[in-house]
Amino acid sequence: MMGKDSSVMKAWEATVRKTQAVAKKRANSIFGTTHVAHADEEDNKDDQSGSDASELYHAERVLPNGDYYKGEWADNFPHGKGKYLWTDGCMYVGEWFKGKTMGKGRFTWPSGPTYEGEFKSGYMDGTGTYTASNGDTYKGQWVVNLKHGHGVKSFANGDRYEGEWRRGLEDGQGRYQWKDGNHYVGEWRNGTIWGKGSFVWGNGNRYEGYWEDGLPKGNGTFKWSDGSFYVGNWSKDPSDQSGTYYPCGTSEEGHLEWDPQEVFNELSEYSICPGEKVSILPSQKKLAVWRSTKGGDGAKPRRMSVDGRVSVGLEKPSDRMQIWGGAEGDFSGYRTPTRGGALDEDLLGLHIDDARTQLHTLKAPRKSKRQGETICKGHKNYELMLNLQLGIRHAIGRPAPSASLDLKPSAFDSKEKVWTRFPPEGSKYTPPHASIEFKWKDYCPVVFRALRKLFKVDAADYMISICGDDALRELSSPGKSGSFFYLTNDDRYMIKTMKKAEAKALLRMLPAYYNHFRVFENALLTKFYGLHCVKLTGPTQKKVRFIIMGNLFCSEYTINRRFDLKGSSLGRITDKPETEISETTILKDLDLNFIFRLQRTWYQEFCRQIDRDCELLEQEGIMDYSLLVGIHFKDISADGDLIPSGSRTPSGDSESDGTPHISRVDVDQLLLDPSRWASIKLGVNMPARVERTMRRSGCELQLVGEPVGEFYEVVLFFGIIDVLQDYDITKKLEHAYKSIQYDPTSISAVDPKQYSKRFRDFIFRIFSEDS
């Protein structure tokens, strides 16, 4: 064994010696001739002196990959104040904490940009100033490399913005002044003028009112410097414009020939300067740190982890060199670095069994064919589908006044029942059709039209999705409530048959639901687009009620895992054998084996929104709702294995505890391009990580397992579904009956207040901030 160790070390030393010769020349050419202690010399000194590994000392080192560090050092990491130069020319000078840029510092890019300010866990975070190579300067608040909070940006072309920023873009209240002196003061959204605000020209004219996508939209007033003004409805489409001109007392004629379109022509010349994108983020810069293994055979035995896993055996050569990221939680795992002074295990002929874990490898569920059975002619519900499509086409296509978001109370009144008759031969208001005669009813059509506008649904696209040439698809089995579900061919909308009690619950809570979405655009509740009823003529007089909802999982990503989560344990496990579980299988609470970790700003918004949504449902007497979560795993092997992203050293070695762990490459790449945030909303297309969990043996009903330090890069989709169940007499009886047999806290049917509290407590245990 000693002979094998000796050959390993000789190969190691030969490889490193070559790299350091190159690195020394590079360091001398950059910093001038200076004595640079070799990493192995420093480690030998440390070993001989027997000094404490955490002792702070000054070091000047050329690292094995050619990077250079000069400054304070502790426990094999930059710690204190120091300068680090990467071989690509990036440099950081400032404060460090255990290998992470933390505190005040200055980061410079080889192309010329600089950032000077506060850092946290490797990110630009706090107050700081960024100067771009083109001369743009931003001074203000930062969160994880993004402008977030109050800040001032001076552009190289002479423009200037001062105000609120969110996720790297102007968002909130702000003032933008162009180089010619014209300026806008008011509301912004995602880097665009949007909301209420004023544009002031240098000649004294001004527009005050509402904006959308950088142009006047809605009510607004244009004022001339002589006191005359024009009030009306504004739109870039001239046919939608209307208003009245009011001359001032001294100028009767004044601006009678003036056309509101002139404002749009003038504003088209005033664009918002996009600024320069950062080429590479500080948190993406890895630190090459030489780690000595002191103590030889006297090293501490590795401890057992919570679920009995233990990692023992021969020390890997790659344990001696690890690549660390600047971000907290940014560890790329054990790597055998490539050329440039690193050790190759295969080259040395070593094949050491990875004794990290006794956990079985997670597999991606088997692929499933497209959901649902196409409703063709001869299907038992073919006539019903035709009735629904005819009714929707009639409801959406008929002329209606422009939907205002300010609705009168009468719009929510469901007592006014207006049925439309659809005879096969057609009528004055309905087209002829090949189906049987039926009657059609729209519930609160004005409200749902306003909701579709609020949800930014185009009427033509909506009609084509539901009523186009493609048939609907019926999901294979009805839900627990007995309702049937249908999907549109493009997967955008889901149609559900409803019981009368559910329709009543929705109509009762509709005013609160509507106002909730007006206030909170990121609400996680199911989006409802229309409530309708088909009444079949004939002796049965059967009524079928439909609700049209958004499909949460309509995405370009494949949803690999789906979970329906309530926070209760009784019956909350899938009854399918593992071989039958596919991508479309809905798993439940006791099947969940992950904790979802969201980036900080998203996590904070998530917590706030869950609280708001649950408060609404509690006030409306609703219970038995779920959080539906879909997971897309980014890394799946050809054999169907889920590939971890790199994680906390599973050995639990005390030398590694408290040090950076997880790679943030995907998040950083996203942050490089803030415009990509537009496709990401709370619960939709959210890049995140999940950490694997395991339940303790003998604890089958343990709701949340213990995290095991194995992480996966994912894209998440989630929302609150099944929000139409009242705590009615049926549910009260169910609660009373089950409480006799089971633990009352484990059953689903509990009163809305208790349900809301239990649901939130559970959700906040399985979602956490990615720190």
Side-chain angles (χ1 to χ4, degrees):
M1 187 68 187
M2 287 297 292
K4 192 167 187 178
D5 274 347
S6 176
S7 64
V8 169
M9 287 311 300
K10 283 179 181 178
W12 173 274
E13 289 166 4
T15 311
V16 169
R17 211 172 287 121
K18 290 178 185 177
T19 307
Q20 290 178 339
V22 175
K24 186 172 183 179
K25 288 179 183 177
R26 186 183 290 120
N28 288 342
S29 66
I30 296 171
F31 297 100
T33 305
T34 178
H35 173 70
V36 180
H38 287 266
D40 51 353
E41 292 172 359
E42 290 286 346
D43 287 335
N44 288 338
K45 289 177 185 177
D46 290 344
D47 288 341
Q48 291 165 8
S49 64
S51 59
D52 185 357
S54 62
E55 179 184 348
L56 189 68
Y57 59 97
H58 194 275
E60 184 175 359
R61 296 186 173 187
V62 173
L63 299 164
N65 70 340
D67 292 353
Y68 170 87
Y69 176 78
K70 181 179 180 180
E72 293 175 306
W73 193 274
D75 198 18
N76 302 304
F77 296 102
H79 186 80
K81 292 185 178 180
K83 172 166 64 176
Y84 194 105
L85 177 71
W86 287 267
T87 53
D88 64 0
C90 291
M91 184 169 69
Y92 173 79
V93 181
E95 298 174 348
W96 298 80
F97 182 81
K98 292 185 178 179
K100 298 167 288 187
T101 53
M102 184 84 79
K104 292 185 177 180
R106 177 183 175 89
F107 190 96
T108 58
W109 287 259
S111 56
T114 61
Y115 170 82
E116 189 163 1
E118 294 176 310
F119 287 80
K120 289 178 186 173
S121 301
Y123 290 100
M124 301 181 286
D125 198 307
T127 303
T129 301
Y130 175 82
T131 304
S133 58
N134 66 358
D136 290 355
T137 302
Y138 169 83
K139 184 176 184 179
Q141 296 294 311
W142 297 76
V143 173
V144 290
N145 293 335
L146 289 174
K147 306 173 189 74
H148 193 92
H150 187 82
V152 178
K153 183 161 186 178
S154 301
F155 296 91
N157 67 353
D159 293 358
R160 185 176 188 272
Y161 172 83
E162 180 174 2
E164 296 302 310
W165 297 74
R166 183 174 172 81
R167 296 173 179 169
L169 296 169
E170 299 92 334
D171 199 304
Q173 289 288 332
R175 184 182 193 274
Y176 192 101
Q177 181 166 319
W178 285 264
K179 58 185 176 183
D180 62 3
N182 293 356
H183 64 272
Y184 167 83
V185 180
E187 297 176 352
W188 295 71
R189 185 192 298 177
N190 291 330
T192 306
I193 295 172
W194 200 305
K196 191 174 183 181
S198 302
F199 189 99
V200 181
W201 283 262
N203 60 9
N205 295 347
R206 64 192 298 135
Y207 168 82
E208 296 176 352
Y210 288 90
W211 299 72
E212 190 173 294
D213 199 20
L215 293 172
K217 176 73 172 177
N219 294 328
T221 303
F222 185 87
K223 297 180 180 179
W224 284 268
S225 55
D226 63 9
S228 50
F229 59 95
Y230 170 91
V231 181
N233 183 69
W234 295 72
S235 173
K236 61 183 177 181
D237 182 356
S239 62
D240 289 340
Q241 290 180 7
S242 61
T244 306
Y245 170 67
Y246 296 90
C248 69
T250 58
S251 175
E252 286 298 322
E253 297 300 322
H255 310 280
L256 285 175
E257 300 300 319
W258 173 82
D259 183 352
Q261 195 62 34
E262 293 179 21
V263 173
F264 291 91
N265 296 336
E266 291 180 28
L267 290 174
S268 65
E269 301 176 10
Y270 290 89
S271 58
I272 308 303
C273 192
E276 182 184 71
K277 291 180 181 177
V278 182
S279 57
I280 189 167
L281 299 167
S283 54
Q284 289 179 296
K285 300 303 296 177
K286 305 301 178 188
L287 311 186
V289 179
W290 180 275
R291 293 195 62 189
S292 62
T293 28
K294 302 176 183 178
D297 295 333
K300 294 180 183 178
R302 297 180 173 181
R303 58 183 169 85
M304 190 175 286
S305 56
V306 291
D307 59 346
R309 294 176 303 131
V310 65
S311 186
V312 293
L314 193 64
E315 182 192 54
K316 286 188 177 183
S318 54
D319 287 0
R320 294 179 173 271
M321 179 177 168
Q322 299 173 0
I323 305 295
W324 298 93
E328 182 177 1
D330 198 342
F331 171 50
S332 55
Y334 282 114
R335 296 184 183 174
T336 303
T338 55
R339 298 171 187 170
L343 181 68
D344 190 327
E345 283 182 21
D346 292 331
L347 182 67
L348 296 174
L350 288 179
H351 299 282
I352 303 166
D353 292 333
D354 187 353
R356 290 183 182 187
T357 177
Q358 296 172 3
L359 286 171
H360 69 280
T361 302
L362 286 182
K363 290 274 188 184
R366 63 181 176 83
K367 297 282 184 183
S368 60
K369 61 181 182 180
R370 198 176 187 201
Q371 275 187 290
E373 176 191 358
T374 302
I375 304 176
C376 303
K377 197 164 188 177
H379 190 283
K380 63 179 181 179
N381 288 325
Y382 179 71
E383 296 284 339
L384 194 59
M385 181 191 77
L386 291 182
N387 298 160
L388 172 69
Q389 291 179 323
L390 283 164
I392 293 287
R393 198 177 289 126
H394 168 74
I396 302 299
R398 68 185 172 205
S402 178
S404 167
L405 296 180
D406 295 316
L407 301 181
K408 297 177 181 177
S410 59
F412 296 92
D413 188 355
S414 61
K415 294 179 182 178
E416 296 295 327
K417 296 186 178 180
V418 179
W419 291 91
T420 304
R421 183 171 157 267
F422 279 77
E425 66 275 11
S427 69
K428 184 178 178 181
Y429 303 104
T430 63
H433 58 87
S435 180
I436 60 174
E437 181 173 324
F438 68 95
K439 289 184 179 179
W440 172 265
K441 180 185 177 183
D442 276 325
Y443 293 89
C444 302
V446 175
V447 179
F448 285 104
R449 193 181 305 124
L451 278 170
R452 292 193 294 270
K453 183 177 181 180
L454 202 61
F455 298 149
K456 297 180 174 54
V457 172
D458 180 79
D461 291 342
Y462 181 73
M463 190 188 298
I464 290 170
S465 289
I466 301 172
C467 312
D469 294 335
D470 297 311
L472 302 178
R473 305 196 313 277
E474 184 178 73
L475 297 190
S476 56
S477 60
K480 185 179 176 182
S481 63
S483 299
F484 282 87
F485 291 86
Y486 305 90
L487 275 172
T488 57
N489 189 62
D490 58 8
D491 289 331
R492 289 175 64 183
Y493 302 103
M494 184 174 283
I495 301 166
K496 175 190 173 188
T497 61
M498 301 180 76
K499 293 180 177 178
K500 185 176 182 180
E502 290 178 305
K504 279 188 171 181
L506 175 57
L507 292 169
R508 190 197 68 239
M509 68 182 284
L510 194 55
Y513 174 89
Y514 177 75
N515 290 325
H516 188 73
F517 271 100
R518 282 203 70 183
V519 176
F520 305 116
E521 64 175 347
N522 284 333
L524 295 171
L525 303 176
T526 302
K527 290 182 177 178
F528 296 125
Y529 298 104
L531 178 60
H532 314 284
C533 182
V534 169
K535 183 177 181 181
L536 303 177
T537 56
T540 58
Q541 294 285 303
K542 180 184 177 183
K543 287 183 183 177
V544 183
R545 297 172 183 83
F546 295 94
I547 184 74
I548 301 177
M549 309 176 287
N551 178 14
L552 184 64
F553 294 152
C554 178
S555 168
E556 62 192 38
Y557 294 104
T558 300
I559 307 298
N560 304 118
R561 285 284 191 206
R562 303 168 189 233
F563 290 95
D564 180 288
L565 306 170
K566 293 178 183 286
S568 58
S569 57
L570 184 62
R572 299 295 295 161
I573 190 167
T574 187
D575 53 3
K576 286 187 177 182
E578 190 168 352
T579 53
E580 292 182 19
I581 293 176
S582 71
E583 291 173 337
T584 56
T585 302
I586 303 293
L587 304 172
K588 300 178 184 177
D589 300 62
L590 293 176
D591 301 309
L592 182 65
N593 56 341
F594 297 110
I595 288 176
F596 306 100
R597 302 205 180 277
L598 304 180
Q599 185 269 333
R600 181 170 63 183
T601 51
W602 281 327
Y603 176 69
Q604 291 170 346
E605 177 64 22
F606 171 78
C607 292
R608 286 193 294 266
Q609 197 57 55
I610 286 287
D611 280 336
R612 294 162 181 159
D613 293 342
C614 288
E615 283 165 9
L616 170 72
L617 297 173
E618 183 182 326
Q619 289 165 11
E620 294 299 317
I622 302 296
M623 43 76 67
D624 214 23
Y625 42 88
S626 313
L627 186 75
L628 186 63
V629 181
I631 309 175
H632 166 78
F633 290 95
K634 290 188 175 181
D635 299 312
I636 302 177
S637 73
D639 296 329
D641 295 340
L642 301 183
I643 303 172
S645 61
S647 61
R648 190 179 303 272
T649 49
S651 65
D653 190 320
S654 59
E655 279 192 338
S656 302
D657 289 347
T659 55
H661 301 297
I662 309 301
S663 172
R664 300 284 187 94
V665 173
D666 286 321
V667 174
D668 283 338
Q669 287 297 331
L670 176 69
L671 300 184
L672 278 173
D673 186 5
S675 63
R676 288 181 59 193
W677 288 65
S679 66
I680 300 167
K681 292 181 64 178
L682 189 67
V684 179
N685 286 336
M686 294 194 69
R689 293 188 311 144
V690 294
E691 181 176 6
R692 188 176 178 182
T693 61
M694 280 199 72
R695 290 175 176 81
R696 293 189 298 272
S697 56
C699 295
E700 289 80 6
L701 296 183
Q702 182 185 1
L703 263 181
V704 183
E706 309 288 350
V708 299
E710 189 172 287
F711 295 82
Y712 298 86
E713 300 289 336
V714 298
V715 178
L716 289 183
F717 299 80
F718 50 81
I720 300 176
I721 63 167
D722 295 337
V723 296
L724 300 178
Q725 178 59 62
D726 273 321
Y727 191 56
D728 55 15
I729 186 64
T730 306
K731 286 294 179 181
K732 289 175 182 176
L733 288 172
E734 180 185 338
H735 174 78
Y737 174 72
K738 288 185 176 178
S739 294
I740 299 170
Q741 299 175 292
Y742 308 103
D743 177 2
T745 62
S746 71
I747 61 180
S748 179
V750 294
D751 76 82
K753 187 170 184 179
Q754 186 182 344
Y755 192 93
S756 171
K757 182 181 184 306
R758 186 182 66 188
F759 178 79
R760 281 188 265 188
D761 288 346
F762 173 64
I763 296 303
F764 294 149
R765 287 176 65 196
I766 61 172
F767 279 79
S768 71
E769 181 181 330
D770 190 359
S771 58

